[in-house]
Amino acid sequence: MDATLTRVRDDVFRRNPGETEFHQAVVEVFETLEPVLRKHPEFGEAAILQRICEPERQIIFRVPWVDDAGQVRINRGFRVEFNSALGPYKGGLRFHPSVYLGIVKFLGFEQIFKNALTGMPIGGGKGGSDFDPRGKSDAEVMRFCQSFMTELYRHIGEYTDVPAGDIGVGGREIGYLFGQYKRITNRYESGVLTGKGVSWGGSLVRPEATGYGAVMFVEEMLKTKGMSLDGQRVIVSGSGNVAINAIAKAQYLGGKVIACSDSSGYVVDEAGIDVALLRQIKEGERGRISDYAARRGNGSSFVAGGSIWDAGATVALPCATQNELGESDAVSLLKSGVVAVAEGANMPCTPKAIEIFQEAGVLFGPGKAANAGGVATSALEMQQNASRDAWTFEHTERRLSEIMVNIHDRCAETAEEYGAPGNYVVGANIGGFVKVADAMLALGVI
Ligand code: NDP
């Protein structure tokens, strides 16, 4: 990192104390920007670098709600509207007890560049709460969502800020949030949230999009080496929205997914994960991954705790959460002959793990590129809402596929142009950054 980047990085650390995930996300981008600053001195210090690290607006609010026992509960809500140079702020809401400002800012920062890479007119933002939907009744989740939206509604809108789901926020939560928005505003503004149900303004393929897109990205990376997913031994961590759909797509393309997980541990199923059973347990019953091994009845096993990456794979798709794949996991995967890794989750691989993969010549797809299919399909949902139209599954999936191929190619070409052929981290960071920086310069000092 050159002197300018180091100075701005130190300034970010000083101005945002204790926000370690945000620091990590900034450093990951800055480490690839030196050649950009040489080519574009106009992006220097205050002009772009400092400005792009400072959110345009950060909203923090109290979320009071009443649980089933009649007790008042208090959570904290966040919305960080990070950058709107390319379009309205766009990014999901995360409900998880670990959520605090540093996590929301890391996710919002990543989202700026990811959204730019999709080629769609959307800016970057992110939000959420330290509310934990696990173990709550539907009625409690509804009351929480209604209270959350009672503050959030004044900050969002089709042309302002368009939230969606993320960890802990799926179709049920988006439904309650949209219902409360509609009730408060007395307007059926479909374009204010994405991830809606298909019968009330949602898009086909949106639930599948992030997982499908990540697998499409892997297939494109493998193609560059004359390989494909067919016959690969695959591990997918997590068992939520992204993981389940990544498993489904990877199996469809001939890969054998032998393990998946949740925060309690992982299952190994050498016959290949039964997606229908997994969906039934995790989405239908909101159950635990240990139930899968118990009910599969083919000798598949549940390992409490431990590292899923020790199960050995040639293709690894971390689809659970940040920093879930570290140095020892990367070494373990190398031993099992891993050829490709793609981040379905946001920042799941630690910097050291990424370094190990890249030094070993493993194809590595960073989240900004590999999991961009979700937000891209959210933008397709916005298009359908704006034109009061509803596309078929086939048409929408074809659009998603074209977008993922484009993102892959743009990353590959940008990496080549900046002297790092095959380095998708460089390609994704620079490709996204240059597009946003150009727009920021054009719009003046705002
Ligand atoms: P979900 O809430 O649907 O699923 C999250 C899954 O990850 C759950 O199975 C959860 O298990 C598991 N998990 C959480 N923490 C851990 C952990 N420490 N170890 C193992 N498993 C864990 O969320 P999503 O699938 O939507 O999101 C997953 C990731 O993908 C996140 O990083 C998110 O930011 C990213 N992403 C999501 C997009 C989307 O469209 N949904 C778009 C782009 C990125 P448990 O049930 O035990 O908590």
Side-chain angles (χ1 to χ4, degrees):
M1 230 188 265
D2 73 6
T4 307
L5 286 160
T6 308
R7 227 177 7 255
V8 179
R9 178 203 63 189
D10 291 347
D11 201 43
V12 168
F13 287 7
R14 188 181 55 76
R15 290 164 63 86
N16 304 277
E19 297 177 1
T20 50
E21 296 85 358
F22 178 47
H23 299 174
Q24 184 181 336
V26 169
V27 169
E28 274 190 18
V29 172
F30 274 25
E31 275 176 344
T32 57
L33 291 186
E34 222 177 292
V36 182
L37 296 185
R38 272 201 301 275
K39 196 164 170 183
H40 296 279
E42 71 276 18
F43 293 163
E45 202 146 345
I48 296 297
L49 290 175
Q50 279 179 6
R51 243 192 323 152
I52 213 165
C53 294
E54 185 69 22
E56 290 175 18
R57 192 174 298 108
Q58 307 182 56
I59 302 145
I60 303 181
F61 50 100
R62 182 174 69 195
V63 190
W65 56 283
V66 179
D67 69 17
D68 287 346
Q71 296 294 314
V72 174
R73 305 272 203 109
I74 305 295
N75 286 98
R76 190 171 284 176
F78 301 89
R79 187 70 185 168
V80 172
E81 298 181 333
F82 223 120
N83 194 298
S84 60
L86 297 182
Y89 311 105
K90 182 89 199 82
L93 298 170
R94 176 177 291 192
F95 292 170
H96 191 271
S98 63
V99 167
Y100 77 108
L101 191 58
I103 287 203
V104 181
K105 274 158 78 174
F106 118 64
L107 290 164
F109 187 72
E110 295 255 312
Q111 198 82 46
I112 303 170
F113 308 108
K114 180 189 309 189
N115 293 4
L117 276 177
T118 65
M120 324 287 270
I122 41 179
K126 201 83 188 189
S129 174
D130 57 0
F131 173 74
D132 187 356
R134 282 178 309 180
K136 303 288 191 302
S137 69
D138 281 353
E140 288 177 321
V141 170
M142 181 179 76
R143 288 194 292 273
F144 173 81
C145 289
Q146 290 177 340
S147 182
F148 187 86
M149 185 52 87
T150 301
E151 172 59 33
L152 188 70
Y153 90 96
R154 61 187 97 243
H155 308 291
I156 61 176
E158 181 183 349
Y159 298 105
T160 315
D161 183 355
V162 185
D166 190 81
I167 290 180
V169 179
R172 175 182 61 170
E173 289 76 15
I174 294 292
Y176 295 147
L177 291 164
F178 184 66
Q180 183 73 350
Y181 182 86
K182 185 175 84 62
R183 177 202 214 178
I184 294 174
T185 60
N186 193 31
R187 288 163 68 89
Y188 206 108
E189 278 179 49
S190 302
V192 72
L193 287 171
T194 59
K196 300 181 295 297
V198 174
S199 60
W200 41 278
S203 172
L204 288 168
V205 191
R206 178 61 189 90
E208 295 85 0
T210 309
Y212 276 25
V215 172
M216 291 167 179
F217 193 89
V218 173
E219 192 76 333
E220 289 306 304
M221 290 200 301
L222 287 168
K223 250 191 225 167
T224 65
K225 304 278 181 205
M227 294 186 283
S228 77
L229 263 163
D230 194 20
Q232 303 286 352
R233 181 181 168 89
V234 185
I235 296 179
V236 178
S237 65
S239 51
N241 170 270
V242 179
I244 291 179
N245 291 296
I247 295 169
K249 193 64 166 180
Q251 313 244 71
Y252 177 78
L253 293 175
K256 187 195 266 188
V257 182
I258 54 91
C260 63
S261 61
D262 65 17
S263 55
S264 61
Y266 64 96
V267 288
V268 179
D269 182 349
E270 290 291 347
I273 297 289
D274 177 340
V275 178
L277 177 62
L278 185 66
R279 267 194 208 284
Q280 169 60 25
I281 291 171
K282 296 299 290 191
E283 293 183 342
E285 303 164 20
R286 297 185 188 275
R288 307 304 295 157
I289 199 77
S290 49
D291 302 340
Y292 175 92
R295 279 160 58 182
R296 178 78 158 114
N298 68 345
S300 60
S301 55
F302 170 68
V303 182
S307 170
I308 188 174
W309 311 111
D310 290 341
T314 55
V315 171
L317 303 176
C319 294
T321 195
Q322 63 275 359
N323 292 324
E324 54 159 311
L325 194 164
E327 182 174 355
S328 58
D329 302 316
V331 171
S332 177
L333 280 167
L334 281 190
K335 281 192 194 131
S336 63
V338 71
V339 292
V341 179
E343 296 185 320
N346 284 310
M347 212 167 75
C349 297
T350 64
K352 188 70 198 165
I354 297 171
E355 193 185 314
I356 290 170
F357 290 138
Q358 290 184 328
E359 275 176 7
V362 173
L363 294 162
F364 179 77
K368 283 185 202 77
N371 70 37
V375 73
T377 308
S378 276
L380 299 180
E381 183 173 331
M382 291 163 74
Q383 276 186 36
Q384 293 169 75
N385 293 153
S387 58
R388 306 208 182 284
D389 201 357
W391 303 344
T392 63
F393 193 97
E394 292 69 27
H395 175 72
T396 317
E397 192 182 11
R398 201 161 47 244
R399 291 288 309 269
L400 169 64
S401 166
E402 286 162 7
I403 290 167
M404 294 315 297
V405 171
N406 277 340
I407 293 174
H408 172 273
D409 294 352
R410 193 168 308 147
C411 289
E413 284 157 18
T414 308
E416 185 101 28
E417 182 188 338
Y418 283 87
N423 188 330
Y424 292 94
V425 175
V426 167
N429 285 348
I430 296 183
F433 178 87
V434 170
K435 190 161 182 205
V436 179
D438 273 339
M440 286 174 73
L441 281 186
L443 299 182
V445 179
I446 54 170

